[in-house]
């Protein structure tokens, strides 16, 4: 479904992504992990057209989408959440989510957008907050709204950037279940960046590890969590999955 081939992204002298290649199959759940600064968000920014890579290509369902602008990437059926949610603070939650449906994959009419937005707000259990100003939401609610917003664009491929960071363990497992159901019941494909190992390892079909802008390891959660390279660079100790 998605193929990233030999992507290089530099910021001045810093090589944030150094020939990264990664592929994802339809309806797969890929966990993307690695230390802070290893290039995870930059990779999302390259896939979604925020940055054009200096080298390499990104293919989506056979089309070369390298460097296509973000508003055109979303039309292809790719959406993402942001590590730091930036809602339109003075719009309501519903209006925030509706705007994603109106400027998403299809340009939904106002009434269609409202229906789409309410459905996803219900899915993420934020329906009661629909008429509240977005700036009044707490961090957990902001994250859920961010998720509803991405879903309302109508994606087939969804990129989640530290969605559960900042949630307590029970909230986290709830959100993890919601997200896994998007693959199992709605047929989406997901790449999830996450530091909470319990979440990533329990939810992912496959895990890809970035370190200093390059691939360190890739494999099943079991393989990756026992890999000495991954333990040394990131995990610190073997973890139970
Ligand atoms: N817009 C930018 N300008 C300069 N450096 C950046 C920019 N975005 C990211 N970086 C740098 O690129 C590296 C990778 O960052 P990032 O992709 O955000 O890492 P991660 O999401 O894995 O924590 C870091 O060293 C970061 O400081
Ligand atoms: Mg990041």
């Amino acid at each position: 479904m998605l193929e990233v081939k030999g992507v290089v992204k530099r910021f001045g002298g810093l090589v944030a992504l150094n020939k990264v290649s990664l592929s994802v199959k339809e309806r797969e759940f890929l966990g993307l992990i690695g230390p802070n600064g290893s290039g995870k968000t930059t990779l999302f920014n390259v896939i979604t057209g925020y940055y054009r890579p200096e080298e390499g290509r990104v293919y989506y369902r056979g089309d070369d989408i390298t460097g296509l602008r973000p508003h055109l990437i979303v039309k292809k059926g790719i959406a993402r959440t942001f590590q730091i949610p930036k809602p339109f603070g003075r719009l309501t939650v519903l209006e925030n989510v509706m705007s994603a449906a109106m400027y998403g994959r299809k340009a939904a009419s106002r009434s269609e957008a409202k229906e789409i937005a309410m459905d996803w707000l219900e899915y993420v259990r934020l329906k009661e907050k629909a008429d509240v100003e977005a700036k009044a939401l707490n961090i957990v609610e902001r994250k859920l709204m961010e998720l509803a917003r991405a879903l309302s664009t109508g994606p087939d491929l969804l990129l989640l950037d530290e969605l559960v960071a900042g949630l307590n363990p029970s909230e986290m497992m709830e959100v993890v279940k919601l997200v896994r159901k998007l693959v199992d019941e709605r047929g989406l494909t997901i790449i999830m960046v996450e530091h909470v190992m319990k979440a990533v390892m329990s939810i992912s079909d496959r895990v890809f590890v970035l370190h200093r802008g390059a691939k360190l390891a890739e494999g099943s959660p079991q393989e990756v969590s026992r890999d000495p390279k991954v333990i040394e660079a990131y995990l610190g100790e073997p973890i139970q999955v």
Side-chain angles (χ1 to χ4, degrees):
M1 184 185 207
L2 179 77
E3 191 163 15
V4 173
K5 273 191 173 170
V7 158
V8 174
K9 177 65 203 159
R10 297 189 191 93
F11 297 107
L14 178 91
V15 188
L17 295 173
N18 191 2
K19 296 191 187 297
V20 173
S21 296
L22 163 158
S23 57
V24 188
K25 287 186 288 198
E26 301 270 351
R27 306 190 66 157
E28 187 173 31
F29 200 117
L30 182 74
L32 177 58
I33 64 173
N36 279 328
S38 57
K40 304 177 299 293
T41 298
T42 302
L43 182 58
F44 277 8
N45 285 333
V46 166
I47 294 169
T48 54
Y50 284 80
Y51 298 140
R52 172 182 271 281
E54 276 83 35
E55 290 173 36
R57 311 302 306 173
V58 181
Y59 299 93
Y60 177 69
R61 289 180 166 159
D63 291 346
D64 187 341
I65 60 163
T66 320
L68 206 62
R69 303 301 300 142
H71 68 282
L72 298 174
I73 300 272
V74 81
K75 301 274 179 212
K76 298 264 180 194
I78 303 177
R80 54 93 60 91
T81 63
F82 288 84
Q83 193 170 344
I84 300 163
K86 289 183 190 140
F88 299 114
R90 290 190 302 181
L91 297 187
T92 66
V93 170
L94 177 62
E95 288 165 342
N96 266 277
V97 180
M98 277 174 69
S99 68
M102 295 170 79
Y103 293 93
R105 191 170 186 178
K106 299 191 182 74
S109 69
R110 192 167 275 273
S111 62
E112 287 164 343
K114 188 169 179 186
E115 208 170 304
I116 294 166
M118 285 307 274
D119 282 350
W120 285 119
L121 282 173
E122 182 167 21
Y123 187 84
V124 305
R125 300 186 195 127
L126 211 55
K127 209 175 169 181
E128 327 75 83
K129 300 276 176 174
D131 296 323
V132 167
E133 277 191 355
K135 67 179 177 207
L137 297 182
N138 67 32
I139 178 68
V140 180
E141 293 163 344
R142 270 172 200 238
K143 296 259 179 173
L144 293 172
M145 189 184 86
E146 183 79 0
L147 177 60
R149 211 153 57 148
L151 288 166
S152 292
T153 68
D156 288 338
L157 175 63
L158 179 61
L159 312 180
L160 303 174
D161 201 351
E162 303 204 18
L163 186 69
V164 306
L167 275 57
N168 72 37
S170 71
E171 291 164 341
M172 184 189 81
M173 289 322 281
E174 286 285 301
V175 176
V176 160
K177 276 187 220 149
L178 278 185
V179 166
R180 181 70 223 188
K181 279 208 298 196
L182 293 169
V183 173
D184 296 339
E185 295 175 9
R186 309 284 181 122
L188 268 72
T189 304
I190 293 181
I191 307 179
M192 185 172 85
V193 166
E194 201 48 78
H195 283 298
V196 184
M197 284 306 109
K198 188 163 178 250
V200 190
M201 295 299 185
S202 64
I203 203 174
S204 301
D205 299 316
R206 196 155 57 86
V207 177
F208 188 100
V209 190
L210 268 178
H211 181 53
R212 297 186 177 144
K215 178 170 102 173
L216 182 68
E218 184 181 9
S220 69
Q222 288 76 10
E223 287 162 351
V224 163
S225 56
R226 291 195 209 109
D227 187 321
K229 294 190 301 294
V230 179
I231 293 166
E232 190 188 336
Y234 183 48
L235 296 176
E237 54 186 53
I239 55 163
Q240 208 59 40
V241 298

